[in-house]
Amino acid sequence: LHRLTADRHNLWAAFDWLSAAHAAEECLRLAVVCGPWHAQGHIPQGWEWFSDALALAGPEPTATKGRALVWAAEFAIAVGAFADASALGQEAVSLWRALGDPRGQAAALHVLAEAEGMQEHPDAAVGLFEEELTIRRGLGEPLGLSIVLLTLSGALYDQGDRTRTIALAEEARTLVRQTGNRRWTGLTDWFWGKLAADERQYLEAARRFGDGLRALCE
């Protein structure tokens, strides 16, 4: 990420040159590989890159376009363009289904669920997370599975379904510890702190919040 930031002017010039040349596939590829970098603090520009790249793209359902659609939906959420995020997410789901790629489909369902949740469509969000969960269970990827378990438990929490919330959050906690991922370990601990606080178990909540904070700061 530091190397990309140091070379940012060349990256911007390269993207502008490719865009002016209507090199659609190359624009998409450059936008996709720079997606994580833009997400670290270049949100408006990331949104602009993906919007421009997708405007050049043809109708062919390629994997590069599918990844770009998912990234574009993420950036749309980040800039508050929630309706655009839903439209991009729906297009991504359709594209990955056409390609028969379950991993891509799961990623598209996840971002579409997030977009629906931001627009206060809780039933739609839960249904999409449930569909993603079914796919994730067949992929054998503990981190991806733990993430959807936690996000779905959060959506169910908002709906007041405490029984399923706790069951899924328990499964998420077990899985995420196996992965060693600090960010999602921290977020899982934070969620459990929230659940404990709801039960007025304040010492347990404080312990969970502290564990989560330490994991996220390391």
Side-chain angles (χ1 to χ4, degrees), residues 149-167:
L149 284 165
L150 187 63
T151 49
L152 175 55
S153 63
L156 291 167
Y157 173 89
D158 291 338
Q159 288 189 317
D161 188 346
R162 189 169 180 84
T163 301
R164 286 203 68 209
T165 294
I166 292 174

Side-chain angles (χ1 to χ4, degrees), residues 135-146:
I135 295 172
R136 293 283 183 193
R137 289 197 185 281
L139 293 178
E141 298 173 349
L143 180 59
L145 179 55
S146 64

Side-chain angles (χ1 to χ4, degrees), residues 84-127:
D84 288 333
S86 285
L88 290 161
Q90 289 166 359
E91 186 177 354
V93 170
S94 296
L95 186 150
W96 285 113
R97 281 178 176 158
L99 292 179
D101 186 312
R103 191 169 284 103
Q105 188 178 339
L109 286 165
H110 192 92
V111 73
L112 178 55
E114 290 179 331
E116 292 299 311
M118 296 302 293
Q119 295 174 91
E120 299 184 359
H121 302 154
D123 291 341
V126 166

Side-chain angles (χ1 to χ4, degrees), residues 11-217:
L11 292 169
W12 294 338
F15 187 84
D16 288 344
W17 186 87
L18 290 168
S19 181
H22 297 280
E25 181 68 13
E26 288 80 2
C27 277
L28 288 171
R29 287 172 56 198
L30 183 57
V32 166
V33 296
C34 288
W37 170 60
H38 279 125
Q40 295 300 311
H42 307 274
I43 302 294
Q45 188 178 55
W47 171 229
E48 182 180 343
W49 271 34
F50 281 102
S51 297
D52 291 349
L54 287 167
L56 291 173
E60 299 81 9
T62 67
T64 303
K65 184 179 178 182
R67 285 189 284 271
L69 285 165
V70 171
W71 270 113
E74 293 281 9
F75 281 106
I77 291 172
V79 301
F82 303 132
D84 288 333
S86 285
L88 290 161
Q90 289 166 359
E91 186 177 354
V93 170
S94 296
L95 186 150
W96 285 113
R97 281 178 176 158
L99 292 179
D101 186 312
R103 191 169 284 103
Q105 188 178 339
L109 286 165
H110 192 92
V111 73
L112 178 55
E114 290 179 331
E116 292 299 311
M118 296 302 293
Q119 295 174 91
E120 299 184 359
H121 302 154
D123 291 341
V126 166
L128 291 161
F129 281 134
E130 294 272 20
E131 189 176 350
E132 181 196 357
L133 178 59
T134 300
I135 295 172
R136 293 283 183 193
R137 289 197 185 281
L139 293 178
E141 298 173 349
L143 180 59
L145 179 55
S146 64
I147 289 171
V148 69
L149 284 165
L150 187 63
T151 49
L152 175 55
S153 63
L156 291 167
Y157 173 89
D158 291 338
Q159 288 189 317
D161 188 346
R162 189 169 180 84
T163 301
R164 286 203 68 209
T165 294
I166 292 174
L168 294 176
E170 283 276 16
E171 188 178 356
R173 180 167 58 181
T174 300
L175 277 171
V176 79
R177 285 175 175 169
Q178 295 174 9
T179 70
N181 184 284
R182 302 300 298 173
R183 177 171 184 263
W184 283 98
T185 296
L187 291 172
T188 302
D189 283 329
W190 170 83
F191 188 68
W192 274 99
K194 186 176 179 179
L195 293 175
D198 285 349
E199 296 294 324
R200 301 193 178 194
Q201 298 174 2
Y202 298 123
L203 290 176
E204 175 66 10
R207 185 175 72 83
R208 292 293 184 189
F209 287 140
D211 289 344
L213 182 61
R214 281 186 290 275
L216 289 166
C217 289

